[in-house]
Amino acid sequence: MRAAAFELERATMTKDVTRFAPSPTGFLHLGHAFAALFAARAAQDSSGRFLLRIEDIDLTRARGDFEVAIDEDLAWLGLSWERPVRRQSENFADYASALDRLKTQRLIYPCFCTRREIASEIAESVLAPQGPDGPLYPGTCRNRSSMEREERIESGEQHAWRLDVERCTELAGSALTFNESGLGPRGESGAISARPEIFGDVVLARKETPASYHLAVVVDDALQGVTLVTRGNDLFQATHLHRLLQALLDLPVPRYRHHRLITDASGKRLAKRDAATALRALRAEGWTAARVYDELGFTNR
Ligand code: GLU
């Protein structure tokens, strides 16, 4: 009887679409294994779908051999995912059209500042507010005339595109929320009010990378039909901004479940440059996939 009730509950539950979205800029380590298993389990628990997305938008750092290694490592963990896999480098047109939409609404503006100019302006200012990704852009290019902007773009001057966050918040309203069913770094959960202004006028595109992580991720999650975003809580703050972008671009809003980060014995978060916990290094040392599950607190189903 109880089993039948469980089956019924399961059948009426949302079948979640989750994803694991690594950047092929190094070998996967135990932290990635945790994130991948977490996403795959969330899909399995709802009889849903698990997707893989290769976040190779930064063409200067992404490498084909790392992508091959991702495939091998995930298969070794016993995971399977739908194919074809979405690769950001093959979808620049999607990000460009999202950017165009924001341009048409004058929600983004061209910024001609060099990194050095921004740094010196910040160093001189008494009040230099910090955001999750570092000090906020001081707004130098926000109020240039359309004529100046056009002339400088036409003359071929390099520029980035920045979100005019104040204008965007006015348009989208201040009542945006997102649903967090995991735990943010300060224990945040439930319906969270989005505060995209913590990022200031964030860059959405640069000459060398035509879409930032923030822009690409909201476009990809929408196009892939992701209903539950699971990821490390180092990206919890980014969700504030993602929620605003979803509102501006009229995209469906997934639910979020951020998870803990895996640390080493000294409590430091694992990084790609520490080769010691790379899955392939552990494998070479004789670790089995079962041992990885065990180490990370997953039961081997
Ligand atoms: N590519 C990101 C990373 O490797 C993950 C992005 C996401 O899950 O939203 O940290």
Side-chain angles (χ1 to χ4, degrees):
M1 187 62 203
R2 196 174 286 168
F6 180 72
E7 278 314 313
L8 184 70
E9 191 187 312
R10 207 176 160 93
T12 50
M13 230 164 57
T14 337
K15 290 183 190 300
D16 272 315
V17 181
T18 68
R19 68 353 180 237
F20 173 54
S23 301
T25 54
F27 292 121
L28 299 187
H29 53 56
L30 279 176
H32 296 108
F34 184 86
L37 290 170
F38 193 92
R41 285 287 158 94
Q44 247 176 42
D45 288 344
S46 71
S47 309
R49 297 161 53 209
F50 170 61
L51 310 177
L52 173 66
R53 177 166 76 233
I54 299 295
E55 301 217 323
D56 58 351
I57 208 150
D58 183 350
L59 299 172
T60 60
R61 294 175 58 228
R63 277 176 28 190
D65 54 333
F66 288 138
E67 192 185 321
V68 172
I70 288 173
D71 231 70
E72 282 169 11
D73 290 346
L74 296 179
W76 176 67
L77 286 174
L79 294 177
S80 53
W81 54 94
E82 291 183 15
R83 291 176 195 271
V85 165
R86 184 173 169 92
R87 213 172 272 117
Q88 290 185 329
S89 60
E90 292 170 350
N91 294 289
F92 283 121
D94 291 331
Y95 315 130
S97 75
L99 206 66
D100 274 344
R101 186 166 167 164
L102 299 174
K103 258 183 228 174
T104 315
Q105 296 181 78
R106 297 200 299 123
L107 296 172
I108 53 178
Y109 61 86
C111 168
F112 305 95
C113 300
T114 61
R115 284 176 214 264
R116 184 183 295 212
E117 281 165 352
I118 297 174
S120 82
E121 186 143 349
I122 287 168
E124 279 165 28
S125 85
V126 208
L127 202 87
Q130 288 285 325
D133 292 344
L136 301 192
Y137 175 64
T140 327
C141 285
R142 189 185 305 127
N143 298 315
R144 300 200 188 278
S145 69
S146 348
M147 203 164 82
E148 178 184 352
R149 285 175 178 164
E150 276 162 33
E151 273 173 19
R152 292 177 74 164
I153 292 176
E154 254 157 52
S155 74
E157 200 174 325
Q158 285 222 10
H159 58 279
W161 288 93
R162 288 186 180 273
L163 194 72
D164 185 336
V165 77
E166 207 178 297
R167 213 177 127 80
C168 292
T169 318
E170 268 164 30
L171 187 83
S174 54
L176 296 177
T177 58
F178 60 89
N179 178 289
E180 173 63 48
S181 59
L183 225 45
R186 290 192 210 100
E188 300 92 332
S189 76
I192 313 274
S193 295
R195 293 176 44 240
E197 67 281 0
I198 57 174
F199 283 87
D201 285 1
V202 70
V203 166
L204 289 194
R206 287 185 202 284
K207 189 140 196 242
E208 68 278 19
T209 4
S212 70
Y213 155 70
H214 300 298
L215 181 66
V217 82
V218 296
V219 169
D220 288 336
D221 284 335
L223 290 178
Q224 290 191 286
V226 171
T227 60
L228 176 66
V229 171
T230 67
R231 60 186 175 200
N233 64 22
D234 54 327
L235 287 167
F236 178 81
Q237 305 298 348
T239 312
H240 289 279
L241 174 60
H242 297 176
R243 182 63 191 89
L244 174 66
L245 293 174
Q246 286 151 359
L248 300 173
L249 294 166
D250 228 348
L251 300 174
V253 183
R255 288 156 23 252
Y256 288 86
R257 189 174 297 161
H258 291 87
H259 57 70
R260 70 185 174 99
L261 300 175
I262 302 299
T263 51
D264 64 15
S266 68
K268 204 167 72 35
R269 188 182 148 197
L270 302 184
K272 279 188 184 140
R273 57 186 174 277
D274 312 324
T277 64
L279 296 177
R280 51 197 43 226
L282 299 176
R283 188 152 78 235
E285 258 176 51
W287 280 49
T288 57
R291 179 153 173 213
V292 174
Y293 280 63
D294 211 41
E295 185 75 20
L296 299 174
F298 287 95
T299 47
N300 203 349
R301 285 180 191 163

